[in-house]
């Protein structure tokens, strides 16, 4: 059980750097294959470069395409947020104010009695 504290520190640091490297490699491949501006041959070339010369390939990719990498990620995040907002907007349906205005219109047209209107209004306001 002879494992000095400095060796624990170095081992921890190397494991951290290894995980960091794998995360960076995964991030580069994710960006590479999500990018619609690159053709198939360009993606194959970058993939071969990153696989054959991993450290140099990743660093060159980050230098050459790093700025656009961030922009593409922001664009994807904004698009996902807009899709979520649109989904919520369409599935949430009408708000209480719209429902109440429809009830008033139905009452004004004579389709609802005053008693039916009050029950429906109470139901809308309770929801």
């Amino acid at each position: 059980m002879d494992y000095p504290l400095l060796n624990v520190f170095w081992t921890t640091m190397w494991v951290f750097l290894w995980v960091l490297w794998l995360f960076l490699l995964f991030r580069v491949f994710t960006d590479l294959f999500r990018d619609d501006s690159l053709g198939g041959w360009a993606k194959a070339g970058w993939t071969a470069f990153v696989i054959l010369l991993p450290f140099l390939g990743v660093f060159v990719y980050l230098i050459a395409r790093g700025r656009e990498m961030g922009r593409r990620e922001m664009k994807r995040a904004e698009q996902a947020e807009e899709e979520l907002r649109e989904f919520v907007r369409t599935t949430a349906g009408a708000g209480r104010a719209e429902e109440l205005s429809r009830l008033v219109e139905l009452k004004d047209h004579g389709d609802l009695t005053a008693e039916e209107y009050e029950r429906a209004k109470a139901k809308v306001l309770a929801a």
Side-chain angles (χ1 to χ4, degrees), residues 95-108 117:
R96 289 183 183 174
E98 285 184 31
E99 290 182 35
L100 289 173
S101 67
R102 273 192 247 137
L103 287 174
V104 168
E105 286 177 18
L106 288 173
K107 185 180 118 184
D108 291 344
Y117 169 75

Side-chain angles (χ1 to χ4, degrees), residues 13-31 50 54-55 58-59 62 69:
M13 186 188 76
W14 284 113
V15 167
F16 174 75
L17 289 174
W18 181 250
V19 170
L20 184 67
W21 171 250
L22 289 176
F23 177 76
L24 186 60
L25 192 64
F26 177 75
R27 181 84 175 172
V28 165
F29 276 120
T30 302
D31 181 68
V50 169
F55 291 108
V58 167
F59 293 139
L62 291 175
M69 190 174 170

